Amino acid sequence: SIGGGICCFFSNPTIRDCRLEGNSAGYAGGGISCHNLSDAPAISNCIVRGNSSGLLGGGIYCSWGLPKITNCVVTGNSSASDGGGLRCWNNMFMRIKHCTITGNQATDYGGGAACARGSSIFYNCILFDNRAADGEQLSLRGDDPNSYVGLAYNDIEDSEQSIYVESGCTLNRIIGNINIDPCFFIIHP
């Protein structure tokens, strides 16, 4: 099963101002799963928290298309393989902007985000306190075509050690990336 909270096929959805919590999918996209061809799903101002998948993308899974994720909090999600918070695969160009990706866990690759076979850019995001066997904050994998990820103005925990880059993939640290504790403020009820 895919898309425990929301599942989109061959569509151009706008998912805005939502809370997707406590959902699960057997295969991919515990919170949201978007499978598109040449479309541009837009996910903005959402909280994707406490979701799980049996394989890929505990919080969000996107394949193909031109997805854009903006101003979202992706936290406390888990995946039994890749992309605890977010998994992008075969994307022509995925844009992740102004997002906080924290407290997610993947068994294998990319606790925060796992990108494979496509191009992505992370702009002004926080990737902190995620866990995985390889690439706690971010992983790049792929065979044909290889993955490309651009990083600009992000705060990435242990950015030198917490990003896994498979041979043949490209990580471009464009400008302005830092590794400073964001000092999250947590309110307990």
Side-chain angles (χ1 to χ4, degrees):
S1 67
I2 56 175
I6 296 174
C7 182
C8 307
F9 273 99
F10 304 103
S11 59
N12 198 22
T14 296
I15 302 167
R16 179 177 44 225
D17 302 320
C18 294
R19 293 179 75 126
L20 292 129
E21 299 183 80
N23 299 291
S24 64
Y27 178 69
I32 301 171
S33 183
C34 291
H35 302 267
N36 300 298
L37 293 171
S38 301
D39 288 323
I43 302 167
S44 64
N45 304 318
C46 292
I47 296 172
V48 181
R49 176 173 42 202
N51 301 288
S52 64
S53 74
L55 195 60
L56 306 169
I60 300 171
Y61 176 82
C62 292
S63 65
W64 303 92
L66 303 163
K68 182 178 181 181
I69 302 171
T70 308
N71 296 327
C72 291
V73 174
V74 180
T75 185
N77 301 288
S78 63
S79 171
S81 183
D82 295 1
L86 150 60
R87 173 68 147 83
C88 44
W89 185 77
N90 254 5
N91 294 106
M92 291 174 235
F93 188 69
M94 184 168 187
R95 295 149 297 167
I96 304 98
K97 298 169 71 175
H98 312 295
C99 291
T100 298
I101 302 170
T102 185
N104 301 290
Q105 183 172 350
T107 303
D108 298 323
Y109 296 95
C115 300
R117 300 186 70 187
S119 297
S120 301
I121 186 162
F122 288 79
Y123 179 85
N124 196 30
C125 293
I126 298 171
L127 285 92
F128 244 80
D129 196 31
N130 298 291
R131 300 289 171 251
D134 289 304
E136 288 193 328
Q137 307 313 318
L138 177 64
S139 73
L140 285 74
R141 299 175 54 226
D143 42 21
D144 183 26
N146 289 325
S147 294
Y148 167 89
V149 169
L151 301 174
Y153 302 105
N154 299 289
D155 187 0
I156 303 173
E157 181 180 17
D158 298 326
S159 61
E160 294 300 319
Q161 293 79 30
S162 68
I163 299 175
Y164 173 82
V165 181
E166 192 172 84
S167 177
C169 296
T170 303
L171 176 67
N172 186 359
R173 298 173 196 270
I174 300 167
I175 189 169
N177 296 293
I178 60 173
N179 172 19
I180 298 174
D181 186 344
C183 297
F184 293 122
F185 182 74
I186 300 172
I187 299 173
H188 296 282

